[in-house]
Amino acid sequence: MAMTMNGEVTLPASREVVWAALNDPEVLKACIPGCEQLNKDDETHFSAVVKVKLGPVKASFKGKVELVDLDPPNGYRIQGEGEGGIAGFAKGGAKVALSDAEGGQTLLRYDVEAQVGGKLMQLGSRLIDSVSKKLADEFFANFAKAVSEG
């Protein structure tokens, strides 16, 4: 099952501060809902363990992410995949673009494409889309707070 999601958020920090936070595993771990572990394996590779609840299904996903097309401090593409055991898998990518906004703030635009399979598919696209949107909103609320304090 394919899923797409896009949006934008204005963050209360400069592009350089936002860029640094987007590449800091400690900041990301604190902002990603359900993230139990996030390691920066090298400059462009991360590995993570994230627990999520999608309707009746609770799953712990182990995944790897690679950052490509790096254009500091303007953006990058993220590609990755995660395995959730019996719950299934997710793989896909996101384009993240940063631009200056009024008052020294930064506009972050994101465009996500993903595929999910296994037991997750049985939940239906409406539930998966709803939970994905909620998790994205939670991440960006946490991230906005982190960069405003940084």
Side-chain angles (χ1 to χ4, degrees):
M1 172 192 327
M3 180 194 90
T4 59
M5 182 172 54
N6 55 43
E8 60 183 45
V9 61
T10 301
L11 298 164
S14 71
R15 234 186 322 161
E16 289 72 18
V17 168
V18 172
W19 176 260
L22 284 173
N23 289 278
D24 184 330
E26 290 304 312
V27 171
L28 294 173
K29 180 181 177 191
C31 295
I32 297 169
C35 187
E36 295 187 336
Q37 188 179 329
L38 182 64
N39 300 312
K40 190 169 187 173
D41 302 329
D42 61 35
E43 284 306 303
T44 58
H45 294 83
F46 292 82
S47 53
V49 176
V50 179
K51 281 195 174 173
V52 293
K53 185 174 188 308
L54 291 158
V57 178
K58 287 182 187 172
S60 182
F61 282 88
K62 290 181 179 161
K64 296 206 173 286
V65 172
E66 180 182 11
L67 307 179
V68 294
D69 299 338
L70 275 80
D71 180 19
N74 305 308
Y76 54 45
R77 272 190 324 113
I78 303 166
Q79 22 187 74
E81 53 188 65
E83 189 65 48
I86 193 161
F89 70 88
K91 67 180 179 177
K95 174 129 178 68
V96 176
L98 304 176
S99 58
D100 293 332
E102 284 185 35
Q105 299 187 99
T106 300
L107 180 66
L108 181 151
R109 288 188 175 93
Y110 61 93
D111 213 337
V112 177
E113 288 185 18
Q115 287 99 31
V116 295
K119 198 171 189 178
L120 292 174
M121 258 181 23
Q122 298 169 3
L123 297 174
S125 62
R126 193 173 294 142
L127 177 61
I128 290 173
D129 288 347
S130 169
V131 171
S132 298
K133 169 105 175 74
K134 179 181 166 283
L135 292 173
D137 290 346
E138 193 175 327
F139 168 80
F140 285 115
N142 293 342
F143 191 73
K145 187 171 187 253
V147 295
S148 70
E149 293 170 351

